Amino acid sequence: MKRVICTVPQGLRLPMLTPEQRAAIAQVYTQFVLPMAGTQPANGKEVVDGLVADTFDPQAIDDLELPFDVIGIYQWNGQAPELTTIQPISGATLLPHLPDVVQYDEQGEEIGTEPATPHVPMNWAGWPQIQL
């Protein structure tokens, strides 16, 4: 199985796509999260994180004129301790989509924020963590 992380235009949802595009997505995506948990819109884009069949071919995105930009692809066989990186995600690409980290005092009161550091903010159950 592959994990594909993309950016899509902010506000895009599947019902907005053509029937042909929706059918193609249904053939390869097993699960996806839009927007990816722990991310925020940036530069008019949102991050989508999905698990797809091994048959997924990123060229199909262009062929179907889908407004997706693939920013990372990983493959895992379900047993190995690590992922196979097909297309590494750039921390610089993901960083604008990560919210600032809220700082709290001992009483739990918010005292400020600090900039996020590049990381993948969610993971699929059982999958190894993506290291940037």
Side-chain angles (χ1 to χ4, degrees):
M1 187 163 290
K2 293 178 183 173
R3 181 177 181 183
V4 177
I5 302 172
C6 303
T7 58
V8 299
Q10 186 174 345
L12 177 76
R13 297 299 180 259
L14 288 182
M16 302 165 106
L17 300 174
T18 68
E20 180 184 51
Q21 290 170 326
R22 289 193 307 268
I25 289 169
Q27 288 179 353
V28 295
Y29 273 89
T30 60
Q31 296 181 48
F32 67 91
V33 178
L34 172 63
M36 176 191 224
T39 64
Q40 63 188 9
N43 305 318
K45 301 275 187 167
E46 291 179 281
V47 179
V48 60
D49 185 4
L51 299 178
V52 299
D54 285 332
T55 57
F56 170 78
D57 179 1
Q59 180 59 47
I61 291 173
D62 292 336
D63 295 346
L64 290 165
E65 298 179 1
L66 286 164
F68 296 13
D69 294 318
V70 175
I71 60 172
I73 304 175
Y74 301 85
Q75 190 161 18
W76 186 51
N77 67 9
Q79 298 173 356
E82 67 276 333
L83 297 169
T84 299
T85 301
I86 297 170
Q87 177 182 333
I89 190 168
S90 159
T93 299
L94 195 55
L95 190 58
H97 295 280
L98 300 174
D100 289 342
V101 178
V102 178
Q103 301 297 310
Y104 299 93
D105 64 16
E106 293 82 28
Q107 291 77 34
E109 299 293 325
E110 187 175 323
I111 57 173
T113 61
E114 62 181 51
T117 57
H119 69 286
V120 178
M122 72 162 274
N123 203 27
W124 293 94
W127 276 65
Q129 184 68 36
I130 293 173
Q131 302 300 318
L132 298 183

